[in-house]
Amino acid sequence: AQKITQTQPGMFVQEKEAVTLDCTYDTSDQSYGLFWYKQPSSGEMIFLIYQGSYDEQNATEGRYSLNFQKARKSANLVISASQLGDSAMYFCAMREEGTALIFGKGTTLSVSS
Amino acid sequence: DTGVSQNPRHKITKRGQNVTFRCDPISEHNRLYWYRQTLGQGPEFLTYFQNEAQLEKSRLLSDRFSAERPKGSFSTLEIQRTEQGDSAMYLCASNNNQGIGDTQYFGPGTRLTVL
C-alpha cells in the first residue's frame, strides 16, 4: 500500500504568494517522522522541514511551515512569500521506527514573476 | 563542514557493462544510505550501512547490485551487467542515527544512463 500520497503533480504560483503542497500518509505506527525535501533541477535533495508524530506544535523553518493534521494523516507544506528560486520538485517523506525514508512521487512547483 | 559528495555525477554506459559509483558522506556521520530515483518518481531506498556493516537491503537491490563501505567512511555501489532499466539517478545520504527524526542529508546524485 502506498504510504505517502502527493496528489498534485504540478502547482503554479506567482512571486510573493503563499502556496500549499499537499501530502497524506498511511501508517499504523504511533511513532513516526514526516519530512519535506526540495529537489531543484540540479538533482540534490535539500532538507526543508521535519515534524514528529508526537510534536504538538506545527513545525516552522523560515518561510516553510508544516500543517500537521494527525487525525487526517496529512502533513501539508506551506511556503509563504514564494520566490523564483522556490521553483523545484518537492517531496514529502515518512520514516517509521526502524525503517528507511519512504518518499511520495513529488509535486513540481513553478513560481512566476 | 562539507556535504555529501558523489562521483561521478554522470555516467553513460552500454548495456552489459559494469559501473561503480562512490559516495563520501559527511565526515562525522555513521549511517550511509543509497537510494534510486527514476524519472517522475521519488527516491526509493536500496540499502544502508551503519559504520561498515550493511544492515538492510531492499528487494530492489538485485544480485547484480553490490554495495560496500569498507572502512566505515566512503561507500561504493557497483552494478554488474547493467540493463536499460538501471538508468536512474543514484542518490546517497548520510546521518547519525539519533532517532526517528534524524535528518538524512543527500548528495548531488549520480545519473546513470544505460544505452
Side-chain angles (χ1 to χ4, degrees):
Chain A
Q2 190 171 4
K3 296 252 184 176
I4 296 285
T5 302
Q6 295 181 256
T7 57
Q8 305 154 315
M11 290 287 285
F12 298 88
V13 68
Q14 288 206 309
E15 266 188 304
K16 300 180 186 177
E17 290 184 349
V19 62
T20 298
L21 306 183
D22 294 342
C23 172
T24 58
Y25 60 92
D26 183 26
T27 181
S28 55
D29 282 14
Q30 297 301 310
S31 178
Y32 53 89
L34 297 156
F35 301 78
W36 277 92
Y37 283 85
K38 171 185 177 182
Q39 188 176 42
S41 55
S42 58
E44 185 169 353
M45 299 285 285
I46 301 167
F47 165 72
L48 296 177
I49 197 167
Y50 164 76
Q51 178 86 40
S53 58
Y54 293 117
D55 295 340
E56 294 185 354
Q57 302 280 347
N58 285 344
T60 60
E61 290 285 350
R63 294 186 299 113
Y64 305 107
S65 61
L66 201 153
N67 184 2
F68 181 46
Q69 297 188 42
K70 195 169 181 176
R72 298 176 67 177
K73 294 187 176 177
S74 74
N76 298 339
L77 177 70
V78 181
I79 306 174
S80 63
S82 297
Q83 301 172 356
L84 293 177
D86 293 334
S87 295
M89 282 283 285
Y90 288 80
F91 290 96
C92 180
M94 180 175 70
R95 185 179 179 209
E96 297 164 334
E97 202 70 56
T99 69
L101 274 176
I102 300 167
F103 287 84
K105 291 190 175 183
T107 296
T108 302
L109 177 64
S110 300
V111 182
S112 59
S113 56
Chain B
D1 180 27
T2 57
V4 179
S5 61
Q6 293 187 246
N7 288 289
R9 295 292 307 277
H10 302 273
K11 179 71 177 178
I12 300 174
T13 191
K14 293 182 178 179
R15 190 175 50 188
Q17 297 293 306
N18 299 344
V19 294
T20 300
F21 311 139
R22 175 176 171 132
C23 170
D24 287 87
I26 293 171
S27 59
E28 63 268 27
H29 285 177
N30 58 18
R31 284 206 170 185
L32 186 150
Y33 307 79
W34 285 99
Y35 291 83
R36 181 175 71 185
Q37 184 180 20
T38 53
L39 207 59
Q41 302 293 321
E44 294 174 294
F45 169 75
L46 292 177
T47 187
Y48 86 88
F49 294 83
Q50 176 143 338
N51 300 313
E52 64 275 9
Q54 189 173 16
L55 295 187
E56 187 177 346
K57 292 193 284 187
S58 159
R59 59 177 175 77
L60 293 176
L61 208 68
S62 76
D63 55 8
R64 296 184 298 106
F65 288 68
S66 62
E68 293 183 342
R69 193 182 183 198
K71 296 182 181 178
S73 56
F74 73 91
S75 175
T76 58
L77 178 68
E78 181 183 15
I79 309 174
Q80 296 183 326
R81 306 181 303 281
T82 51
E83 301 172 356
Q84 288 185 327
D86 297 331
S87 294
M89 175 80 90
Y90 291 84
L91 293 163
C92 175
S94 71
N95 69 357
N96 279 323
N97 183 34
Q98 296 175 358
I100 203 166
D102 195 37
T103 300
Q104 294 181 22
Y105 294 93
F106 283 79
T110 295
R111 185 171 295 281
L112 172 67
T113 302
V114 182
L115 302 176

